Amino acid sequence: MPAHRETFFQKGQRNSNQLSIVPLVGNYLVKSLPERIFRKLLKLFNRCEIPACGLLNQLEYEARTGRTCKPPPQSLRRKNFEFEPLSTTALILEDRPSNLPAKSVEEALRHRQEYDEMVAEAKKREIKEAHKRKKIMKERFKQEENIANAMVIWINEILPNWEVMRSTRRVRELWWQGLPPSVRGKVWSLAVGNELNITPELYEIFLSRAKERWKSFSETSSENDTEGVFVADREASLELIKLDISRTFPSLYIFQKGGPYHDVLHSILGAYTCYRPDVGYVQGMSFIAAVLILNLEEADAFIAFANLLNKPCQLAFFRVDHSMMLKYFATFEVFFEENLSKLFLHFKSYSLTPDIYLIDWIFTLYSKSLPLDLACRVWDVFCRDGEEFLFRTGLGILRLYEDILLQMDFIHIAQFLTKLPEDITSEKLFSCIAAIQMQNSTKKWTQVFASVMKDIKEGDKNNTPALKS
């Protein structure tokens, strides 16, 4: 057995259940310890052995501690290890101190058997986790290969012939599988379009206006505070943008102050408030702009952002048009009842209406609620299918967690749907989305929505539960 496998730190004779910690890894473990933790270990374990080829050589030890380390007597070393645990450290029950009664043979055998069982379980877990990691890596390699193949098709065949091929069955099927990141921004821009005819020069004009307003705001803010004057619409103010940027994908840090995309996000949101003062800035916009920035250049991101928010559904929500929002909720509930009748009745029994969970999902286009890579795939198909897919995705989420939601009450449902599990996977969610049928009595989404609009105009508000509230 190599010498470094026999090394251990011994606590000393402190109590009857004396334990020693046995490092069972190479030099990298101890050498990587921070100074503070290293010294704490030395203070805790008064004596240690430094083997010739072991965890830390004599010179390094003395340089770090300023002490000379003497090896313990040969009699204290454990010999004849018949196993090699896969874990980095292990606890071994030592013989009792000489001033205490020795273990009986039965007790020693029992302790050895228990420890052997512990090691065996550790080995099983290691093997199981290794197989799991291997499976994940295999799936990842397969996915990367598929992305690489798809990228070639998009670049060489589809994008050069966009108008001809965008609606073909082959392209739609490829689109459903998710866009390769290298072409995602380009496809999004083409799919969203530019009905507003915004140019990069127009963006620069509104950005300069925003900068003038920032300067003016900073100069007059202290004076306004003194006079007790409040900004009429806080959500439309440029000051609120500054607050929201720091809350946008905080775990990524790239949009925080000092991050590479902080100023870009600030610029796009500020320019938009000047471009569309009738809409202004609304919380949730920062997430949409951030996703676009990650996939497009600054001016292109602004153009896509402005056109995306000009779509009927987004305009209704960001203008907080309650009448239109109710129509969307009513249409959603028609398909909710059609696809998930049991869960629909469960929600109805608690008077849990779609606005409680759908508003946050729609406002951020799922970029806040779902993992970023999964949210981008939702955006892929949203750009292909339009607003219908946003509500279809909502139903897919409800279907995915139907069994869990059926066991919850109002409060727990609201909490669960506000913060979805982080382990949600693309395969599972899109499998549930695919199972959702967006057809009610031969009527598609647009037809049902038009029917709801007609019913509301005629004053027939008793057809859908959402309108009763």
Side-chain angles (χ1 to χ4, degrees):
M1 181 62 64
H4 69 275
R5 292 295 183 189
E6 299 177 2
T7 304
F8 63 89
F9 293 103
Q10 190 172 11
K11 264 191 175 181
Q13 298 177 359
R14 296 191 181 184
N15 54 55
S16 59
N17 294 321
Q18 183 182 6
L19 296 176
S20 68
I21 290 189
V22 185
L24 295 172
V25 292
N27 292 343
Y28 73 91
L29 177 63
V30 175
K31 289 182 179 178
S32 65
L33 287 176
E35 183 72 21
R36 177 175 56 82
I37 298 176
F38 182 81
R39 291 188 176 277
K40 187 176 289 186
L41 280 174
L42 292 175
K43 185 177 179 182
L44 182 62
F45 304 108
N46 296 324
R47 291 176 294 174
C48 69
E49 175 195 358
I50 303 298
C53 63
L55 302 176
L56 197 65
N57 59 52
Q58 183 79 26
L59 293 175
E60 183 175 350
Y61 171 80
E62 291 177 357
R64 292 184 69 173
T65 64
R67 297 169 50 188
T68 301
C69 183
K70 297 180 180 180
Q74 187 73 18
S75 60
L76 292 179
R77 301 183 184 182
R78 287 190 63 91
K79 297 182 178 180
N80 300 324
F81 281 137
E82 297 175 355
F83 51 85
E84 187 175 322
L86 296 178
S87 57
T88 55
T89 60
L91 293 174
I92 299 179
L93 193 62
E94 297 293 329
D95 294 333
R96 292 190 183 121
S98 58
N99 61 330
L100 294 174
K103 294 180 185 179
S104 65
V105 176
E106 292 79 7
E107 186 179 13
L109 287 174
R110 186 176 76 253
H111 287 172
R112 171 57 55 189
Q113 182 180 358
E114 289 173 352
Y115 184 73
D116 288 344
E117 290 174 356
M118 238 171 29
V119 172
E121 283 298 318
K123 286 183 178 180
K124 287 181 181 178
R125 285 196 299 271
E126 289 282 347
I127 293 171
K128 185 177 180 180
E129 289 177 5
H131 283 309
K132 185 178 180 181
R133 287 193 298 270
K134 186 177 180 181
K135 183 179 179 182
I136 292 173
M137 289 301 296
K138 187 176 180 181
E139 291 176 351
R140 185 175 298 171
F141 288 143
K142 184 179 179 180
Q143 184 180 15
E144 289 176 356
E145 185 179 358
N146 291 337
I147 290 174
N149 294 334
M151 181 183 66
V152 173
I153 297 173
W154 279 99
I155 292 176
N156 295 334
E157 299 179 32
I158 301 173
L159 291 177
N161 305 287
W162 174 253
E163 293 299 334
V164 176
M165 298 191 66
R166 63 178 299 178
S167 299
T168 62
R169 182 176 179 179
R170 181 193 176 202
V171 171
R172 290 182 64 82
E173 289 176 352
L174 196 62
W175 208 329
W176 174 268
Q177 296 169 14
L179 297 171
S182 58
V183 301
R184 177 168 274 149
K186 180 64 175 178
V187 175
W188 285 359
S189 293
L190 290 170
V192 171
N194 187 12
E195 293 180 355
L196 299 174
N197 295 318
I198 301 174
T199 62
E201 292 75 21
L202 189 62
Y203 166 62
E204 292 296 334
I205 291 172
F206 285 108
L207 177 57
S208 63
R209 291 184 186 177
K211 289 179 178 178
E212 290 175 4
R213 288 180 59 183
W214 289 328
K215 184 178 179 181
S216 175
F217 184 86
S218 62
E219 291 174 351
T220 60
S221 58
S222 57
E223 181 182 343
N224 288 342
D225 290 341
T226 306
E227 297 176 359
V229 179
F230 297 95
V231 179
D233 187 354
R234 290 293 294 174
E235 286 194 340
S237 73
L238 295 172
E239 184 66 14
L240 184 57
I241 293 176
K242 295 180 181 179
L243 295 174
D244 269 4
I245 288 176
S246 63
R247 297 191 284 246
T248 306
F249 297 122
S251 61
L252 296 181
Y253 299 107
I254 57 177
F255 296 105
Q256 314 308 304
K257 193 166 186 179
Y261 292 122
H262 174 272
D263 293 343
V264 178
L265 181 56
H266 196 195
S267 297
I268 288 177
L269 295 174
Y272 183 77
T273 60
C274 294
Y275 174 69
R276 291 298 299 266
D278 58 319
V279 179
Y281 175 76
V282 182
Q283 286 180 313
M285 286 182 177
S286 62
F287 281 89
I288 297 177
V291 174
L292 290 169
I293 288 170
L294 292 174
N295 291 277
L296 291 162
E297 296 298 325
E298 183 174 342
D300 294 329
F302 176 80
I303 294 170
F305 181 72
N307 280 277
L308 192 59
L309 267 56
N310 196 52
K311 304 295 182 183
C313 181
Q314 278 64 54
L315 209 55
F317 276 78
F318 282 114
R319 278 180 166 175
V320 196
D321 185 338
H322 293 288
S323 175
M324 283 298 295
M325 290 168 70
L326 279 177
K327 294 166 188 173
Y328 279 108
F329 294 148
T331 307
F332 172 81
E333 288 211 297
V334 170
F335 292 96
F336 186 3
E337 185 176 16
E338 180 78 17
N339 286 274
L340 304 165
S341 57
K342 191 174 181 180
L343 187 61
F344 174 81
L345 292 174
H346 183 64
F347 277 27
K348 186 178 179 182
S349 67
Y350 285 112
S351 299
L352 199 152
T353 51
D355 56 290
I356 293 174
Y357 51 93
L358 266 184
I359 285 180
D360 190 48
W361 293 353
I362 302 299
F363 264 116
T364 62
L365 301 181
Y366 296 96
S367 56
K368 183 182 177 183
S369 309
L370 297 175
L372 184 56
D373 58 337
L374 179 51
C376 284
R377 187 173 171 189
V378 170
W379 278 47
D380 291 343
V381 188
F382 162 60
C383 289
R384 187 193 78 172
D385 295 350
E387 64 186 36
E388 172 186 328
F389 189 73
L390 295 178
F391 297 94
R392 189 180 181 188
T393 299
L395 292 173
I397 292 173
L398 296 179
R399 183 184 180 90
L400 179 60
Y401 296 111
E402 181 177 15
D403 293 338
I404 297 174
L405 294 170
L406 285 171
Q407 307 302 318
M408 294 181 176
D409 58 16
F410 181 96
I411 297 296
H412 289 94
I413 292 173
Q415 291 176 340
F416 183 88
L417 295 179
T418 300
K419 184 173 176 57
L420 295 170
E422 295 180 359
D423 61 351
I424 184 171
T425 64
S426 177
E427 292 73 20
K428 289 181 180 179
L429 177 58
F430 270 77
S431 176
C432 290
I433 294 174
I436 298 297
Q437 299 297 319
M438 297 302 285
Q439 192 163 307
N440 175 262
S441 301
T442 69
K443 289 184 179 180
K444 296 183 178 180
W445 169 269
T446 53
Q447 294 170 314
V448 173
F449 185 75
S451 179
V452 169
M453 295 271 286
K454 182 180 178 182
D455 289 341
I456 292 175
K457 287 180 180 178
E458 294 176 354
D460 185 5
K461 299 184 179 181
N462 298 320
N463 289 341
T464 52
L467 297 178
K468 294 179 182 178
S469 59

